Amino acid sequence: MEHLDIIESQTIYILREAFNKIDKLAILWSLGKDSNALLWMVRKAFFGHVPFPVVHIDTGKKFPEMYKFRERYTNDWQLDLKVGTCPPVEEMDPTLPPAARSAARKTAGLKAMIDREGFAGLLVGIRRDEEGTRAKERVFSPRGEQNTWNFRDQPPEFWDQFKTDFGPGTHLRVHPILHWTEIDIWRYSKREHIPIVDLYFSHNGRRYRSLGDQDITFPVASAAATIDEVIDELQHTKVAERSGRAMDHESEDAFERLRADGYM
Amino acid sequence: MPFEWAFLMDALQAERDQGITIDVSHIHFRTPVREYVLIDAPGHREFLKNMVTGAAQADAAVLVVDAREGMQEQTKRHSYLLHLLGIRQVIVAINKMDLVSLAQNRFQKLSKDVRHYLSELGLDLQHTQIIPVSARDGDNIVTRSIRMDWYEGPTLAESLDGIQQPVSVLEMPLRFPVQDVYKFDERRIVAGRIETGQIRVGDTLMFSPSNKTARVASIEAWNARIQPVAARAGQSIGITLDEQLFIERGEVASLVANPPTLSNVFRGRLFWLGHAPLKVGNRYKMKLCTAEYTVEVQEIERIIDVNDLGMRESQEVERNAVAEVVLRARGLIALDPFDYNMLTGRFVLVEDYDIVGGGLISMEGYADQRPTGIKSSNIFMVEHRVPESDRWRMNGHRGGILWMTGLSGAGKSTLAFSLEHYLFQRGYQVSVLDGDNVRHGLCSDLGFSPEDRVENIRRVGHAAVLFARAGFLVITAFISPYRADRDRVRMLAPGLFHEIFIEADLETCEQRDPKGLYAKARRGEIDEFTGVSAPYEPPKLAELQVDTMAHSIEECLAKLTDYVSRTFVVTK
C-alpha cells in the first residue's frame, strides 16, 4: 500500500470506531484544508454519507471566501450544519496575551455548543506535526467536565485500542488525522480533488499557510499559486506552518494554556 | 533554565520546568534513504503507560543507555516491553560517552551487558547495532566521531537506514474483524479493516465465533472509478454478502479453510498498567480487535522479574509488572495465538473507564474448541432421518449426558453405578461410561500426561454425545480435571450436557483411598496423580453439586434421581 492509502485507511478505521462507540458524535469543520480532508474521509468511511452533525464555531471574523465556501459545500454535501457563535473578547481571561485571548473566544463558543447539543464526542482535524502540544495528543483524548485537557495523565493507547469508555459529564475529542503531516494533506487533496479555499494560494506574492480569524492570522511570502506549487514549496521551506498564527508565538506557554482549557 | 536539546520534543511547560519527559511526542525527519517518524517515549517508571503508547506504534526501537549508569532496571523493563510489543529490531545507543572520557573499555563492558540481556530475551543479536554516541555533540549520530576513532561500526543514522521494512501481512490467513454494519441506504454493508490476508468478491467467508458462512457479493467503495474486486491487509473496507446474515461487531471473518481458534480459556502474557493490582477472580472487559468480552482471571501462573528474567509466584500483579495469567470468558472467543498472528493474538483489559493492561495470547495446553474439528475434508455430517424428539417419546425420557467430575475417591463411580441401577429398574435407557473401563479399550493407548488426559476426555466426550443423540441417558464418571476439557464436551452438545460436581476435598478422598492410589502417589509411584501431583480445576457453574462429605450415599442418590426426573421429562 502507498503511504497515502495507509494513513487514509487508519483515519477511516478511527472514524468508524468513533461512530460505533460514541452516541452523540459531531465533526468540527473550520473550513480549512485539514477539516475539509477529514470531512472527505468521513464520506469515504460511511460510503457517501455524513451520519452526524457538522459544527462550525463561527467567530464572526472569518474571511468572506470562507463563508462562501461553507454555504456551497453545506449544500453540495448535504451536511447537517450547526453554527455556533462566540462571546465577545471582553469576557475572555484577561491574563492571556491579546491574540490568545481572541482565540479563546472559539473555545468558549465550542463549550457552549457542546453544552447545548450534549455532544459526547467531537471529531477534530488537528495534526501532530503542527505544534508541540498537539504532538503529545492521543487519538481518543478525554476531556474533563470543564472541557479541560489533562495532559499530565493521558490514557494509554496502543494496538488501535482507544479509550472508548468515559464517565458522565466528560466527553472525547477524537483526532482522526493526528498522524498526517501538512504535505500529506496537500498531496491527498490533490489526489482526491478536494475543494480548497482560494486563500491558501498565492496572490500578490503572499498566501495563507493556515487559516484562522482575520485579525490574528497573517499570510506568508510565497509564490505558490497552484496545489503543485504548494507541495513543491513545502518540500523545501523552513518556515513553520503556524508561523502566521499570532497566538502561538506570544509567549512560551500561551498555546499550551489555550489547549489545556479546551482549545482544539 | 538554559536551553536543552530535549526541549525540541518536551513541548509541555511542566516537562521543561522539571527536565523530564512526561508524554510521548512525535517528530518527522528524513534521511536520503527514507522518511521517519521519531517517537520520543518517556523513560521514567511513573510514565510507563506513555512509553507503551509510544513504543507500540513503532517498527523499530532505539534503546538509549546512559554510559555512566549502564543497564539499569528501567532499561531492562523497556527492553522487555519492546520484546512483548513485538518489536524485534532494536538499535542500542550508549549515550553520554563524553562523560566517561569516551573510553573504549567502558563501551565494551556495557555492550557485553546489553548483549547478554537481549540474548536472554531471545532477540536475534546478529542485526543489533550497539553504538557509542555523545548525542549532545553529535558524535556517531549522523557523522562519524573523530574522538572515538576506535569505533568502526555504523553511525545511528546509518543503522536506522539499515532497518528492514516490517514483514508483509498479505500472505497470512485472512482475518477481517467486523467493525460495524451499516444500513445508510439499500445496501447492508459489513465494514472493517482487513488485518491480514486478502478478500476477493466470490470468496466464502466464515464468521467466528458464530460459525456462520456467506459469500462476498461486492466490495463497496465511494467515489471510486471502478468497483474493486479484491481488497488486502491494511485496507479499511466495506463488503456486502449474498445472504442476510445477522452479524455483529466483533465477529472475525476468515476463509473457511483457515479460521481462528475458538476457546473460552487462554493464556496471556501481560503487562499491567492499572493502579489497582490484578487479582485472581477479578473480572475485566477484554478488547481483542473489535470484539469485547468479559473475562475472569482464573490463575496468575507467574510474575516475570524483568531484572534477571526469573519467575516467581504471586497472588496479584502490581502496576508496571509483567505476568503470565490464565483468563476465562463465559462464551467462546475467536482468537489466534500471538506467535501465529500478531494482530489478532493480542488484547487489552479495561477496568472502569481505563485500559489497564495489554497481553499476548498463548494457547499452550489448551485446545481449539471449534465444534467441527474434522481433519479430513472429505467427511460430511449426515443428517439423521429419525428426529431426536421421536426417540425421546419412544423412550419416555430425554437423552443427555450426566457428566460427573471430582477427585479420585470422591464417589463418582459409586454414585454412577447406583444411579444407573436405579434408573434402569424404572425403565430408563441408561448406561455408564467409567474411567477405568474406558481406559481398557477405547483409550488403552493413552497415559496420564496432560496431552493424553485431554485426548482421553475428547474421545469419551464424543462417545457420550453419540449415546446421548441415540436417546440414551449417559452417565460418565471421570476425574476430568481440566475445566477446558469439560467445556469442550459441553460445546459438542450444548443442550445435552449436564455437569455434576461430585464434591469431596482432598483430605477426605485420601482417607477413603478405595484403590490405594493416593498412598502410591504419595510414595511417588504414580506420576501426575490428580490432587497430589497434578491440578484439579473444580467446576464454576455446574448444573448440580453433590457433596459426598456432608451427605450419605442414599441422600446423594436421592438428589441425583430428583434432578433426573425433573430435567429429562418429555414435554408434549
Side-chain angles (χ1 to χ4, degrees):
Chain A
M1 274 168 92
E2 283 178 27
H3 176 67
L4 287 180
D5 293 323
I6 293 170
I7 58 179
E8 180 201 58
S9 174
Q10 179 69 8
T11 297
I12 290 174
Y13 187 82
I14 294 162
L15 287 170
R16 289 174 174 172
E17 283 299 282
F19 182 57
N20 181 279
K21 287 292 177 183
I22 302 171
D23 280 340
K24 286 212 78 177
L25 185 66
I27 180 170
L28 276 192
W29 189 28
S30 73
L31 315 171
K33 64 186 189 316
D34 301 304
S35 60
N36 289 344
L38 178 57
L39 200 45
W40 189 266
M41 283 185 273
V42 168
R43 298 166 79 211
K44 262 199 188 185
F46 306 112
F47 303 96
H49 302 265
V50 180
F52 33 73
V54 177
V55 171
H56 181 228
I57 302 301
D58 192 352
T59 54
K61 294 182 175 182
K62 299 292 171 194
F63 297 89
E65 293 89 332
M66 294 170 79
Y67 290 113
K68 243 184 267 163
F69 187 92
R70 184 177 81 185
E71 199 176 322
R72 173 166 176 196
Y73 290 102
T74 300
N75 279 321
D76 283 8
W77 296 344
Q78 298 176 326
L79 304 179
D80 173 14
L81 180 72
K82 292 191 190 298
V83 176
T85 52
C86 302
V89 72
E90 291 73 32
E91 293 177 20
M92 299 298 106
D93 180 358
T95 68
L96 283 167
R101 194 175 177 201
S102 180
R105 294 180 59 228
K106 205 164 148 188
T107 317
L110 178 61
K111 285 181 184 177
M113 170 68 86
I114 291 169
D115 286 348
R116 193 181 82 207
E117 298 286 336
F119 293 129
L122 282 175
L123 300 166
V124 184
I126 61 164
R127 309 187 326 267
R128 287 200 180 100
D129 75 324
E130 284 178 274
E131 188 274 325
T133 65
R134 286 181 175 167
K136 301 220 169 225
E137 269 287 5
R138 295 291 190 266
V139 177
F140 279 58
S141 181
R143 297 300 148 125
E145 298 200 4
Q146 300 302 315
N147 287 263
T148 46
W149 179 43
N150 184 4
F151 53 80
R152 284 184 186 81
D153 188 17
Q154 298 199 74
E157 185 172 82
F158 50 93
W159 301 340
D160 285 344
Q161 296 293 357
F162 306 107
K163 183 181 174 77
T164 52
D165 304 275
F166 48 99
T170 61
H171 77 274
L172 287 171
R173 297 281 173 86
V174 180
H175 304 131
I177 58 167
L178 207 54
H179 55 293
W180 290 58
T181 63
E182 185 184 11
I183 202 164
D184 289 334
I185 293 287
W186 282 107
R187 285 180 175 144
Y188 186 72
S189 300
K190 180 189 168 192
R191 186 182 92 173
E192 303 280 316
H193 306 287
I194 301 173
I196 292 162
V197 180
D198 191 50
L199 295 163
Y200 283 107
F201 302 110
S202 177
H203 297 279
N204 305 320
R206 284 140 77 80
R207 74 177 191 90
Y208 288 90
R209 275 282 287 279
S210 173
L211 280 181
D213 286 352
Q214 276 192 58
D215 55 342
I216 53 170
T217 309
F218 305 98
V220 295
S222 167
T226 66
I227 202 160
D228 285 313
E229 287 168 9
V230 168
I231 291 168
D232 189 57
E233 178 192 286
L234 292 178
Q235 283 173 307
H236 304 103
T237 185
K238 300 227 182 244
V239 177
E241 181 180 5
R242 291 180 61 88
S243 60
R245 298 287 206 119
M247 69 234 203
D248 289 28
H249 315 294
E250 289 171 321
S251 73
E252 191 182 355
D253 67 344
F255 197 64
E256 178 178 332
R257 282 174 63 193
L258 274 179
R259 296 210 67 237
D261 193 44
Y263 192 82
M264 284 62 64
Chain B
M1 176 174 283
F3 174 78
E4 297 256 4
W5 284 113
F7 289 177
L8 181 64
M9 319 257 323
D10 289 344
L12 303 173
Q13 199 63 42
E15 295 181 312
R16 295 179 178 187
D17 290 347
Q18 295 172 31
I20 190 171
T21 303
I22 295 174
D23 215 326
V24 170
S25 194
H26 293 233
I27 200 164
H28 296 254
F29 70 94
R30 57 175 180 246
T31 68
V33 174
R34 63 177 153 220
E35 304 208 358
Y36 291 88
V37 182
L38 177 70
I39 304 170
D40 181 31
H44 198 281
R45 185 188 169 109
E46 196 187 329
F47 307 122
L48 199 74
K49 67 178 165 59
N50 298 342
M51 180 270 174
V52 169
T53 299
Q57 304 170 56
D59 297 317
V62 179
L63 193 66
V64 183
V65 179
D66 188 319
R68 293 166 306 176
E69 295 176 356
M71 284 289 276
Q72 298 289 307
E73 181 182 336
Q74 200 57 19
T75 313
K76 292 179 177 173
R77 192 174 298 277
H78 284 180
S79 310
Y80 198 92
L81 281 169
L82 290 174
H83 187 71
L84 269 191
L85 293 169
I87 297 172
R88 297 290 179 264
Q89 304 197 72
V90 178
I91 297 168
V92 183
I94 309 280
N95 192 23
K96 304 189 186 179
M97 285 299 293
D98 51 315
L99 297 182
V100 293
S101 318
L102 305 158
Q104 184 177 13
N105 58 359
R106 177 70 184 156
F107 173 71
Q108 282 167 339
K109 156 87 173 63
L110 292 179
S111 301
K112 207 176 137 203
D113 291 353
V114 169
R115 280 185 184 281
H116 177 71
Y117 187 82
L118 295 184
S119 65
E120 294 265 291
L121 276 185
L123 220 64
D124 175 17
L125 289 179
Q126 255 193 324
H127 305 291
T128 302
Q129 294 292 346
I130 303 180
I131 310 166
V133 303
S134 171
R136 204 185 59 148
D137 306 317
D139 290 69
N140 287 333
I141 302 294
V142 178
T143 50
R144 230 149 237 300
S145 171
I146 301 162
R147 300 189 289 173
M148 291 184 278
D149 57 1
W150 43 263
Y151 172 73
E152 290 171 346
T155 63
L156 182 60
E158 286 165 354
S159 295
L160 288 174
D161 286 341
I163 289 169
Q164 306 287 313
Q165 292 288 342
V167 288
S168 166
V169 284
L170 285 182
E171 302 309 317
M172 294 173 66
L174 172 68
R175 295 291 182 266
F176 175 59
V178 175
Q179 199 175 3
D180 218 331
V181 180
Y182 300 132
K183 192 86 187 57
F184 298 121
D185 41 44
E186 70 289 346
R187 297 169 295 179
R188 191 165 173 280
I189 300 176
V190 179
R193 179 173 62 195
I194 305 176
E195 296 296 339
T196 54
Q198 29 201 329
I199 285 182
R200 300 191 76 84
V201 171
D203 280 347
T204 299
L205 299 184
M206 173 184 264
F207 292 87
S208 298
S210 72
N211 258 331
K212 293 170 184 165
T213 57
R215 278 181 56 236
V216 179
S218 70
I219 297 173
E220 295 296 320
W222 174 74
N223 201 34
R225 252 166 290 160
I226 44 165
Q227 197 83 350
V229 293
R232 53 212 292 210
Q235 286 183 281
S236 289
I237 60 160
I239 58 172
T240 64
L241 300 171
D242 68 341
E243 274 179 76
Q244 294 281 320
L245 292 189
F246 178 71
I247 303 271
E248 281 182 297
R249 176 182 163 96
E251 296 262 352
V252 181
S254 65
L255 296 180
V256 178
N258 206 334
T261 301
L262 283 184
S263 181
N264 66 344
V265 60
F266 61 92
R267 288 204 158 82
R269 176 173 287 198
L270 63 81
F271 49 90
W272 188 246
L273 305 170
H275 286 282
L278 171 136
K279 291 180 185 165
V280 171
N282 280 7
R283 288 189 180 178
Y284 301 98
K285 175 155 93 180
M286 180 182 90
K287 292 186 181 184
L288 195 171
C289 292
T290 61
E292 292 181 8
Y293 302 92
T294 300
V295 293
E296 185 175 314
V297 180
Q298 179 176 310
E299 195 182 343
I300 297 171
E301 296 191 307
R302 56 188 73 89
I303 307 282
I304 296 155
D305 185 330
V306 296
N307 238 331
D308 57 10
L309 301 179
M311 313 278 192
R312 63 187 168 78
E313 290 189 12
S314 173
Q315 290 307 300
E316 49 184 63
V317 183
E318 299 285 349
R319 182 173 168 85
N320 296 342
V322 177
E324 286 177 9
V325 301
V326 178
L327 299 175
R328 171 174 294 273
R330 237 173 273 148
L332 289 178
I333 298 176
L335 50 80
D336 284 303
F338 183 79
D339 291 342
Y340 181 72
N341 191 324
M342 212 172 114
L343 299 174
T344 50
R346 62 195 187 187
F347 61 90
V348 300
L349 298 179
V350 177
E351 185 172 30
D352 299 329
Y353 303 125
D354 296 309
I355 291 176
V356 286
L360 316 182
I361 293 169
S362 156
M363 287 301 292
E364 217 180 304
Y366 293 104
D368 192 345
Q369 298 174 31
R370 189 172 289 280
T372 49
I374 300 165
K375 282 186 181 161
S376 165
S377 55
N378 295 321
I379 300 171
F380 299 96
M381 296 291 251
V382 180
E383 221 170 296
H384 282 276
R385 295 230 179 117
V386 184
E388 233 163 27
S389 53
D390 285 4
R391 293 179 196 272
W392 294 349
R393 249 196 313 278
M394 178 79 84
N395 289 340
H397 63 85
R398 289 165 173 270
I401 303 164
L402 292 166
W403 188 280
M404 295 184 178
T405 173
L407 291 171
S408 177
K412 295 181 302 297
S413 295
T414 308
L415 286 173
F417 287 113
S418 304
L419 181 63
E420 181 191 34
H421 182 76
Y422 179 94
L423 291 174
F424 184 77
Q425 294 295 326
R426 281 152 189 82
Y428 277 74
Q429 296 283 350
V430 59
S431 180
V432 170
L433 282 173
D434 176 73
D436 290 342
N437 294 350
V438 166
R439 280 187 175 276
H440 283 115
L442 183 63
C443 302
S444 59
D445 56 329
L446 300 176
F448 289 87
S449 69
E451 297 75 35
D452 281 3
R453 283 175 180 239
V454 169
E455 176 60 14
N456 183 43
I457 297 304
R458 191 190 71 81
R459 289 185 199 175
V460 171
H462 278 276
V465 170
L466 289 175
F467 268 98
R469 290 248 157 85
F472 272 72
L473 201 54
V474 194
I475 305 168
T476 69
F478 297 85
I479 298 172
S480 45
Y482 303 121
R483 220 173 274 141
D485 294 343
R486 300 192 299 264
D487 288 349
R488 204 149 46 117
V489 181
R490 184 189 289 273
M491 287 312 299
L492 289 175
L496 299 175
F497 184 86
H498 302 257
E499 191 172 19
I500 298 172
F501 183 26
I502 307 297
E503 193 183 5
D505 60 26
L506 183 62
E507 203 186 332
T508 310
C509 294
E510 218 168 336
Q511 273 168 11
R512 291 178 188 162
D513 204 8
K515 300 170 198 161
L517 295 174
Y518 281 97
K520 274 189 174 176
R522 291 288 178 200
R523 288 198 301 272
E525 292 167 21
I526 307 176
D527 289 339
E528 314 214 49
F529 191 75
T530 302
V532 176
S533 47
Y536 177 77
E537 301 172 357
K540 290 222 160 144
L541 296 164
E543 273 78 4
L544 187 69
Q545 196 153 337
V546 179
D547 184 345
T548 65
M549 294 180 290
H551 302 286
S552 66
I553 291 181
E554 288 69 32
E555 286 166 341
C556 293
L557 191 62
K559 197 168 181 185
L560 286 164
T561 54
D562 179 53
Y563 181 76
V564 170
S565 60
R566 272 189 293 117
T567 314
F568 294 90
V569 62
V570 180
T571 45
K572 292 278 171 338

